[in-house]
Amino acid sequence: MKVGNLEIRVPIIQGGMAIRVSMSRLAGAVAKEGGIGLIAGSAIGIDELKNEIKKAKDYLEGKAGVIGVNLMVAVSNFEEAVHASIDAGADLIVCGAGFSKGVFKIGRERNVPIFPIVSSVKGAKLSEKLGATAIVVEGGNAGGHLGTDLDSWDIVKDIVDSVSIPIFGAGGVLEPEDAKRMLDLGAVGVQMGTRFVATTECGVSEKFKEMYINSKKGDVVEIKSCVGLPANAIISPFIERLNKGEQERPTTCNNCLKKCDHSFCVTKKLIEGHEGNFEKGIYFAGKDVWKIKDIISVKEIFDRFKP
C-alpha cells in the first residue's frame, strides 16, 4: 500500500504511547513486520528522541520499514520536536492531543507526511484542506487522551465519507475481527496502541503489562487530564483518588505543557506507571483492554492479523 511517499506492507500503525511506552525497540519491531512503528516523542529530551529514532532505524538492519514519531500538540516544545524528529530521519509525524495548523506547513516544506489524529468530520475536513497525507480517526474507546465520547465504530464511516484521503481507524482494535470491522467501515488500515503494550518488545515494567492482562471489563474509566482533555485509564489507587478530588497536587512544574490546570502532573504519573509504581502511577489503556489475555511478541501479533 502506498500512502503519500510511504510504502506500507501491512496497514497497521502501532500507536504512539507516552511516556517511553512505545520507544525504539517496539517501533523497530513493528516496522520490521511491515507496519508503521511510532516512537512516542512527547515529554522526553530532544537528544533522547533523536537517539531513539536512530536506534529504531538500526533495528531494521538495512531492511525497508516505516518509523514515525507521535507527538502531543499539547507539549510546549511541539514544533521543536517535530523538526528534531525529521532531522533524525522520521518517515512521518503523527500528532494528537490538540490540533496544530503549523505542522502541515512543516510537513510540506520538509516533504514528510503528517497524520493528524482527529475525532470529528470538521477536524478531518480541516486536516485534508491543510495538507494531511492521511488521518487517524480515534474514538472515545481508545486509550490515553481523547477528543470525543463517541466510540470509533460510531465516527469512522462518517469521516471516511467526508474526505478523500486515507483513514486509519483507532480505538477498540485488539483482534483480527476488530480490524476487519474497521476496514468494512471504509478505513484503509488501523492504529493499535493497547494491544502492543502487552508485548515482549514494549519497554514498560512487568507490573504495567500485568495490569493489562489481568484487567476486567469495566476496569477502564475516564478521567480529566491536567492537559484539559478526557483520557481513559485503568482503575488504580491514584485514579481513585483523582476521581474523588483527593489526589496529591504537584509542588513543582517544569512547564512541559502549553496549558496545564496543575490538578496533577500527567508526565510524572505516566512515568511512575511506566516504572510499575502501582500506588502512584497512571496506566492509560483502551476500554477493551480486558480482551488481552497474553503477552506475546510483535511478530505473533502480525501473524494473527495477516489474512
Side-chain angles (χ1 to χ4, degrees), residues 209-230:
K209 296 178 186 180
E210 287 168 8
M211 290 280 286
Y212 272 45
I213 62 174
N214 293 330
S215 65
K216 298 179 179 61
K217 194 171 185 177
D219 280 355
V220 171
V221 296
E222 187 176 294
I223 65 169
K224 182 177 182 271
S225 173
C226 61
V227 175
L229 295 169

Side-chain angles (χ1 to χ4, degrees), residues 46 50 53 80-90 93 110 112:
I46 293 297
K50 287 182 171 181
I53 295 168
E80 179 190 6
V82 171
H83 279 293
S85 298
I86 297 170
D87 290 342
I93 302 294
R110 305 204 59 182
V112 170

Side-chain angles (χ1 to χ4, degrees), residues 9-63:
R9 300 200 311 276
V10 183
I12 294 175
I13 301 173
Q14 160 255 308
M17 297 168 284
I19 292 170
R20 298 187 181 92
V21 177
S22 56
M23 299 297 274
S24 56
R25 188 179 174 211
L26 177 57
V30 169
K32 205 169 189 177
E33 292 300 320
I36 297 178
L38 295 182
I39 292 162
S42 301
I44 62 174
I46 293 297
D47 288 343
E48 181 181 0
L49 172 57
K50 287 182 171 181
N51 187 48
E52 286 295 315
I53 295 168
K54 181 183 181 303
K55 282 162 60 179
K57 294 276 188 177
D58 289 345
Y59 194 92
L60 293 172
E61 299 174 324
K63 296 176 183 175

Side-chain angles (χ1 to χ4, degrees), residues 25-26 174-175 194-215 289-302 304:
R25 188 179 174 211
L26 177 57
L174 291 109
E175 303 292 343
T194 298
R195 173 64 266 195
F196 282 111
V197 172
T199 59
T200 52
E201 290 89 350
C202 184
V204 298
S205 68
E206 289 305 306
K207 179 64 182 176
F208 198 129
K209 296 178 186 180
E210 287 168 8
M211 290 280 286
Y212 272 45
I213 62 174
N214 293 330
S215 65
V289 63
W290 58 273
K291 293 181 179 179
I292 300 175
K293 300 302 176 191
D294 50 9
I295 298 170
I296 58 178
S297 70
V298 166
K299 185 180 186 310
E300 287 175 280
I301 290 178
F302 275 82
R304 289 181 184 181

